[in-house]
Structures are given as structure tokens and as C-alpha cells.
């Protein structure tokens, strides 16, 4: 199997000159580390050559103790971007996790289950997005950092952000990797032996367009660049490490990739071959640790599993420990732990009046169109601002996607629920049809349900115009209403708005509201001729309405977190016209929600305090 790493580095440079794409430069990274610390290099090389007995003893003890349970690895993705296609979606990241778990568990019906080799192994390792950050805050396991270092990224990209490498697998997603004169590089990793020596660089760097299989993910490689690099991260070498060395039973465990059930391979395998004769034997071309096209790779071996479990126990045992899993928001079995109910309670309303909406828990993720996409705009239905996407002059690739999402909201406080928001949109021409999709999730977006798709007739609030659309009147906005009653069990509901740019016109979103109205109770508001003036208010406002018949009524004021601030009115009222004063008192500037309940239904109305 295979020469020592200095020789490997030379062979890789030669290989790179002959190949347009070099999938992995982990060997080069390792060579550089060894050059920087020769004593460490000698120790690691010696340990590798002598590891066979230790690995065998470790795995025998593991089997006897019946401790070979599945190892769960918390993963954090750091998406380094400049608001281009490298700013990949959460859906694409989740698809990559699917591939990793299929490959490392040899799941039925997947590539890992198709291996023709009797030594093919279920590695017994699974991966989860971290659900807590290093400070113990609940998190979706994805960080997005805007930086020019996303282009020609190298070790320096890791200084932008990193989580404790003893507790998380850090994956940096970048636009491109510095080629070091070697062609196009897809990824690189750090071996576990170097964790204590260079902890600040531990983890994996991978090109964004080789993450997952959907959207921008490369279909040919099928998400297996990361499978390959994780193989390095858990201690596996290339199957072609050193070429045709270690090709006898007495040397296979002390040279090359230090594994005896991976046949010697003279050099890397490219493409998608059914077989290949090399080093006087048939190569295992489908091994994940070769350079086979990802769509054809399907094998880890029992020997690779034995080495990986030994290396993980020796160098990375903290990351999958029960204590660490709990700290990362997982339980001992690797399931996502239940997240406490959000402090933001429904009913809830938000009108994008804050200069920094992130302070209220909202998050903008412009995945493709950068500063040209979603941002606070001085166009509004009520108040002074909305979230706008000035799409009129954008000529980006069709179907580029940009998004924003709400904070986590506890819907369980309602028996019925309705989402409503104002939208202003007009098409540029009859053949342009931008799309607005609205999703709901209860697990930080790992799984989502489509609530609403708006396009042409279901989205337009004004007629087609070939000039830039900016609404100037209330009748150029429309109300979108969605029944959320099926989701009132959700205690951490996140609403995500995704705009697919099809070169149309501008769009604006305002007055996001979740109430216990089912939408039809908007009619009740009209029947009562309800109005709130002035709005925004300074010192006092009046809730004006008419009751057609005597009945009990309750009027309550809630803040943006869903906490009841005060009861304005409660009790039996005769038929007649009313004007209830709402005094500012100790109310801070901000958005509030006035809830009106009667025998015939209920509704909410937003109040802005300036």
C-alpha cells in the first residue's frame, strides 16, 4: 500500500499536474505540519507503524465489553461567503448530513449498501447539527460569515470563526480553495493526531458546490467530498498512500494506509471504474478514501473501521461523550434534545420598525443577491419601514434565492392560530413570475412545511408595470392569511420567507402577525368598524369600535414577546359606540399587539408606540 508521506507529497504534486481537479490536499497539509514540527512527525510515523497491535487490542476489548455503540458527532457548519452562491441553504447542508449518515452507517438502499466487498463495514458513526453553541445557547448549527477569505481559502479562513474542536466537528464552507499550484481543490482535513498540536486548524474546509447533492451541490461527486474528508478527520489515510508499499501480510499494517483489507493501489483512481488492476492486484476502486467519482464510491472496510474507532478513542473521545452530546443539545442516544419553549409567545406582531431587526430575533440570509436583496426599506404599510427586496434591476441567474426568518415563537399559547402579513408586489411584465414561499419549522429549520406559495395572482397586489414598483397607497398592498391551527403544538415555530428571483419587480413585506384569529375573524373587525387612532401613538391612543348587541368583551395589550402588558377593558358592554383610551404610561417605544375578544370571535390589531 504505500511510501511515507514525504514521498506522497511529491507524488501528489506530479498527480496534480496531470489532473484538472485534485479532490483533496490533506496530505499536503499534513506534510506542512510535519515540516513545522519534525519531532512530532517522527513520533506520529512511529506510532502509525506500531499501531496494528494496539488497534487489534482496542477493538477486541471493545467487542468483549460490548461497547461498540454508534458514535454521534456534533457538527457545526461555518458558511464563509460574499453573498454569492457559496452562501448555501440550510436544505443543502441537511442533504449533506444525509449523505454522511448513509455512507458511515451503510444504510439499506443507499450507496454504502451497494458495496460488492465482503469486508465492507458499517462504521457506526453518525453526524448531527449541533443544537447548542459553545456558550450553551440554543443554535441551528450553522454560522454565516461574510468575508473575502471565502475565495482561495486556506488555513486562514479558520481564524474567522471556530468552535471548540474537541467538542465539535468544524466544517468551513467556502467558494474556492487556494490551489497551491495544484489545480482545483475540493477540500482538506486535519488528522486527529494533530488536534493537541494545532487545535486552531482542526476541522474540514470544503467547497460550497461540493456540499450535498441538491441546489448547487455537484451531482457527480454526490456529496462525498465531505465523506472523504471526514474519513481523514477520523484517522484514515488515502488507500493509495505511498503507492505499492505494504503489500504483504507482514507489512500491510505498518506501511501505506496501515490497513490490511484495502488492497495496494499505485496511485489515485479517477472517474467511475468497475475495476482496476494495480500493484499486481485488483484495486478497491469504490473505497471512499480513493478519488473515485462520489456517485460510484460505496465502501469503508472493517480494517478502516477498526483504525477509526481506535483513533477516535485515542484523540477525539470527548466529542462523542455523553457529557459533550448534552452540551451540544443532543441526548445520550444522539437524538436532538427538546428545546424549551420560546420566550416569545403568540399572539405576536412585528412591523420591521427596529433599525436592527436581529435584536428582535429576526434574521436575514441573502443567499445569492447580497445587499441587493432583503433589507429594511423606507416603504411601509404602517409605520416607517418594511422588509423590501428591490428586485427590479437585478439580472441575476433565474431562481436565485434569498430569505429571512422570524424568531422562534411559542404557538402553544393559542387554541387556534393565524398568520397574516402585508405584501406589496407587482410583476414587471406578463411573463415574469417571481415566487414567494413561506415555510414553518419547529426544529431550527432542519425540517420544514410549506405554508404558502405566492406567484402571479396569489402574490400580486398591483397591476403589471414596466417601471420600478413602489407602493404609494394602502390599496397597493394585500393581506396574506394562513391558518396555523395545525401547528399550535409548536413551541419554537420559525417562519421563513424565501423569494425566488425570476427577474421580476420589487416586493415588500410588512405587519407580520400571529393571532388566535383563523382569518375569517378579520370580518369581525370590519363589522365592529374597529380603528385605533392615532397609530403610531405618543401619549394616548383610542380603540374605537361599535357593538351591535350587548355582550362581554375583553381588550388586552401584549408586547412583542407575547407577554400581556395590561387589560384595557373586560366585562359586559351594551350595544353602542365606544372609544377606549390607551395611555402610554410606562410603555417603551416599540410594537405592541391589541387583542379584542367577544362572544362571536376575536382579532388582533398592531399598535406602534413612538
Amino acid at each position: 500500500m504505500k511510501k511515507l508521506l514525504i514521498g506522497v507529497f511529491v507524488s501528489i504534486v506530479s498527480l496534480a499536474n496531470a489532473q484538472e481537479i485534485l479532490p483533496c490536499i490533506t496530505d499536503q497539509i499534513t506534510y506542512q505540519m510535519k515540516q513545522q514540527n519534525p519531532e512530532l512527525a517522527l513520533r506520529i510515523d512511529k506510532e502509525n507503524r506500531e499501531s496494528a497491535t494496539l488497534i487489534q487490542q482496542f477493538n477486541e476489548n471493545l467487542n468483549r465489553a460490548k461497547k461498540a455503540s454508534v458514535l454521534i458527532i456534533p457538527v457545526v457548519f461555518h458558511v464563509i461567503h460574499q453573498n454569492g452562491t457559496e452562501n448555501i441553504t440550510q436544505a443543502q447542508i441537511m442533504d449533506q448530513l444525509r449523505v454522511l449518515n448513509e455512507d458511515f452507517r451503510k444504510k439499506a438502499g443507499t450507496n454504502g449498501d451497494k458495496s460488492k466487498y465482503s469486508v465492507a463495514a458499517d462504521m457506526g458513526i453518525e453526524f448531527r447539527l449541533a443544537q447548542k453553541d459553545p456558550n450553551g445557547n440554543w443554535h441551528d448549527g450553522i454560522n454565516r460569515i461574510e468575508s473575502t477569505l471565502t475565495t482561495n481559502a486556506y488555513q486562514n479562513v479558520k481564524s474567522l470563526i471556530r468552535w471548540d474542536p474537541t467538542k465539535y466537528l468544524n466544517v468551513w464552507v467556502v467558494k474556492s480553495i487556494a490551489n497551491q499550484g495544484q489545480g482545483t481543490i475540493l477540500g482538506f482535513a486535519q488528522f486527529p493526531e494533530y488536534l493537541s498540536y494545532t487545535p486552531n486548524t482542526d476541522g474540514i474546509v470544503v467547497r460550497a458546490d461540493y456540499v450535498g447533492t441538491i441546489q448547487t451541490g455537484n451531482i457527480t461527486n454526490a456529496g462525498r467530498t465531505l465523506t472523504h474528508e471526514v474519513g481523514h478527520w477520523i484517522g484514515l489515510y488515502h488507500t493509495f498512500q505511498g503507492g505499492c508499499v505494504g503489500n504483504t501480510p507482514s507489512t500491510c499494517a505498518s506501511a501505506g494506509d496501515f490497513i490490511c483489507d484495502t488492497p495496494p493501489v499505485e496511485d489515485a483512481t479517477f472517474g467511475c471504474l468497475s475495476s482496476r488492476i494495480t500493484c499486481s492486484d485488483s484495486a478497491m476502486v469504490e473505497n471512499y478514501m480513493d478519488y473515485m467519482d462520489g456517485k460510484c464510491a460505496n465502501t469503508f472496510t472493517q480494517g478502516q473501521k477498526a483504525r477509526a474507532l481506535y483513533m477516535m478513542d485515542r484523540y477525539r473521545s470527548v466529542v462523542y461523550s455523553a457529557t459533550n452530546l448534552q452540551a451540544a443539545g443532543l441526548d445520550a442516544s444522539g437524538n436532538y434534545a427538546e428545546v424549551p419553549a420560546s420566550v416569545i409567545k403568540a399572539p405576536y406582531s412585528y412591523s420591521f420598525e427596529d433599525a436592527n431587526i436581529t435584536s428582535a430575533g429576526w434574521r436575514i440570509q441573502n443567499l445569492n443577491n447580497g445587499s441587493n436583496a432583503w433589507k429594511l426599506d423606507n416603504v411601509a404599510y404602517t409605520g416607517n419601514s418594511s422588509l423590501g427586496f428591490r428586485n427590479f434591476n437585478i439580472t441575476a441567474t433565474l431562481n436565485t434565492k434569498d430569505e429571512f426568518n422570524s424568531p422562534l415563537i411559542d404557538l402553544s399559547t393559542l387554541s387556534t392560530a393565524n398568520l397574516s402579513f402585508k405584501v406589496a408586489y407587482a410583476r414587471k411584465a406578463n411573463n415574469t413570475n417571481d415566487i414567494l414561499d413561506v415555510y414553518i419549522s419547529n426544529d431550527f429549520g432542519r425540517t420544514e412545511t410549506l405554508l404558502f406559495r405566492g406567484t402571479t395572482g396569489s402574490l400580486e397586489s398591483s397591476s403589471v408595470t414596466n417601471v420600478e414598483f413602489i407602493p404609494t397607497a394602502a390599496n397597493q398592498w394585500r393581506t396574506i392569511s394562513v391558518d396555523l391551527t395545525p401547528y399550535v403544538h409548536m413551541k419554537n415555530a420559525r417562519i421563513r420567507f424565501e423569494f425566488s428571483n425570476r427577474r421580476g419587480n420589487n416586493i415588500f413585506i410588512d405587519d407580520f402577525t400571529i393571532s388566535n384569529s383563523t382569518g375569517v375573524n378579520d370580518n369581525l373587525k370590519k363589522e365592529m368598524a374597529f380603528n385605533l387612532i392615532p397609530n403610531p401613538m405618543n401619549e394616548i391612543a383610542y380603540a374605537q369600535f361599535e357593538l351591535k348587541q350587548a355582550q362581554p368583551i375583553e381588550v388586552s395589550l401584549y408586547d412583542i414577546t407575547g407577554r400581556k402588558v395590561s387589560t384595557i377593558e373586560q366585562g359586559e358592554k351594551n350595544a353602542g359606540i365606544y372609544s377606549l383610551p390607551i395611555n402610554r404610561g410606562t410603555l417603551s417605544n416599540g410594537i405592541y399587539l391589541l387583542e379584542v375578544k367577544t362572544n362571536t370571535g376575536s382579532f388582533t390589531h398592531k399598535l406602534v408606540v413612538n
Side-chain angles (χ1 to χ4, degrees), residues 177-191:
I177 297 172
N179 62 25
Q180 308 292 302
Q182 298 185 44
T184 300
I185 311 300
L186 305 186
F188 61 90
Q190 183 168 307
F191 288 110

Side-chain angles (χ1 to χ4, degrees), residues 431-544:
N431 64 346
T432 57
N433 56 333
D434 299 318
I435 300 171
L436 179 70
D437 287 328
V438 182
Y439 297 86
I440 190 169
S441 169
N442 197 42
D443 58 7
F444 295 107
R446 293 191 299 271
T447 58
E448 292 183 310
T449 300
L450 179 66
L451 293 173
F452 168 79
R453 166 158 286 193
T455 183
T456 58
S458 61
L459 186 61
E460 290 173 291
S461 63
S462 195
S463 57
V464 175
T465 176
N466 60 4
V467 298
E468 185 171 11
F469 171 67
I470 299 176
T472 56
N475 64 4
Q476 291 179 298
W477 294 77
R478 71 183 295 173
T479 301
I480 304 297
S481 184
V482 181
D483 184 14
L484 293 186
T485 302
Y487 308 100
V488 292
H489 65 282
M490 292 185 174
K491 297 183 178 181
N492 289 281
R494 188 186 80 174
I495 311 296
R496 183 172 69 88
F497 291 74
E498 179 183 274
F499 187 68
S500 298
N501 177 6
R502 298 180 63 83
R503 300 176 185 167
N505 216 320
N506 300 340
I507 184 171
F508 305 90
I509 305 290
D510 205 0
D511 290 6
F512 177 97
T513 301
I514 294 177
S515 68
N516 65 357
S517 165
T518 59
V520 296
N521 284 336
D522 287 346
N523 293 329
L524 177 60
K525 186 186 292 190
K526 295 176 183 177
E527 290 172 7
M528 293 176 62
F530 184 88
N531 199 10
L532 188 58
I533 57 173
N535 192 11
M537 67 171 278
N538 291 317
E539 298 302 326
I540 191 170
Y542 294 89
Q544 299 178 340

Side-chain angles (χ1 to χ4, degrees), residues 251-264:
T251 61
C252 60
S254 58
D257 68 352
F258 309 103
I259 294 168
C260 288
D261 61 4
T262 54

Side-chain angles (χ1 to χ4, degrees), residues 313-331:
D313 180 76
R314 183 166 187 176
Y315 297 104
R316 299 198 187 278
S317 59
V318 171
V319 74
Y320 55 83
S321 67
T323 301
N324 190 60
L325 293 182
Q326 183 178 17
L330 306 171
D331 65 21

